Amino acid sequence: MTPPVIEIAHATVGYDGRPVLRDVSLTVTAGEVVAVLGANGSGKSTLVRAALGLVPVGAGSVALFGTPRRRFRQWHRIGYVPQRPGAGSGVPATVREVVASGRLARRGVLRPAGRADREAVTAALDAVGLADRAGDPVSTLSGGQQQRTLIARALAGGPELLVLDEPTAGVDAASQEAFAEALRGFRDGGGTVL
Ligand SMILES: Nc1ncnc2c1ncn2[C@@H]1O[C@H](COP(=O)(O)OP(=O)(O)OP(=O)(O)O)[C@@H](O)[C@H]1O
Ligand SMILES: [Mg+2]
């Protein structure tokens, strides 16, 4: 039997020793699409960060693809879109460059991009409807377009698991529809979504 993609068991997670989540358990199996709902400040982003090892887990355990989080190294299997990070962040990168950075975990920084890399980047740009903006600096895009750039970056890596934290906040209805279509394709290809 294949192990769960994400398995959080009885986890306590917090910041500066102040717990935000207590005794939280979550199992996401391959092919599932799981949505986490809750009020602002209820700990959704904290839960996602704990799953990815971005905040330490006090009590309890976290495993990814059957491997304890601490020993997990196969980051190319996971695409992550954080909540409102600002894709620009002052770096004068183009949309295509930001999306191509989603391939780095897969090909390694030192190996030049090959045909498969270029095709994955082009497909991801098409999926979010930004092909015509590929050459533009990310900083010149609107907030929603920057958010779509980050979704494309996560898709470009060809992950098995997509972890999306409020991915469509600030994204207009037409683009949300395109995003839903891209997610549908990802799921139909066997992908898992949190
Ligand atoms: N880096 C941090 N340092 C200290 N406290 C934090 C940090 N990030 C979040 N918190 C606190 O943890 C709690 C949960 O925050 P979290 O961001 O996980 O909520 P959320 O459910 O994602 O909310 P939202 O719907 O607004 O995105 C909040 O009380 C918040 O103030
Ligand atoms: Mg949040």
Side-chain angles (χ1 to χ4, degrees), residues 15 18 20 39-46 49 83 166:
Y15 303 93
R18 194 174 51 86
V20 170
N40 292 149
S42 60
K44 303 180 297 293
S45 296
T46 301
R49 289 193 206 115
Q83 184 173 11
E166 317 256 353

Side-chain angles (χ1 to χ4, degrees), residues 78-96:
I78 302 175
Y80 172 46
V81 179
Q83 184 173 11
R84 278 187 294 272
S89 68
V91 183
T94 65
V95 170
R96 173 168 275 278

Side-chain angles (χ1 to χ4, degrees), residues 15-26:
Y15 303 93
D16 311 315
R18 194 174 51 86
V20 170
L21 302 174
R22 290 178 199 81
D23 193 23
V24 166
S25 299
L26 171 72

Side-chain angles (χ1 to χ4, degrees), residues 6-109:
I6 299 174
E7 187 155 43
I8 300 175
H10 304 291
T12 295
V13 190
Y15 303 93
D16 311 315
R18 194 174 51 86
V20 170
L21 302 174
R22 290 178 199 81
D23 193 23
V24 166
S25 299
L26 171 72
T27 302
V28 181
T29 57
E32 273 191 311
V33 177
V34 175
V36 178
L37 306 180
N40 292 149
S42 60
K44 303 180 297 293
S45 296
T46 301
L47 178 70
V48 157
R49 289 193 206 115
L52 299 175
L54 300 173
V55 292
V57 172
S61 65
V62 177
L64 296 167
F65 296 98
T67 303
R69 221 286 307 151
R70 232 184 295 275
R71 286 199 277 112
F72 185 81
R73 297 287 178 274
Q74 302 167 313
W75 294 109
H76 63 273
R77 299 178 79 177
I78 302 175
Y80 172 46
V81 179
Q83 184 173 11
R84 278 187 294 272
S89 68
V91 183
T94 65
V95 170
R96 173 168 275 278
E97 285 168 342
V98 169
V99 175
S101 71
R103 297 291 297 175
L104 288 176
R106 190 162 279 280
R107 67 177 171 88
V109 180

Side-chain angles (χ1 to χ4, degrees), residues 4 16 44 60 66 80 86 107 117 130 139 150 163 167 170:
D16 311 315
K44 303 180 297 293
Y80 172 46
R107 67 177 171 88
D117 294 311
L130 281 178
S139 55
L150 294 177
V163 178

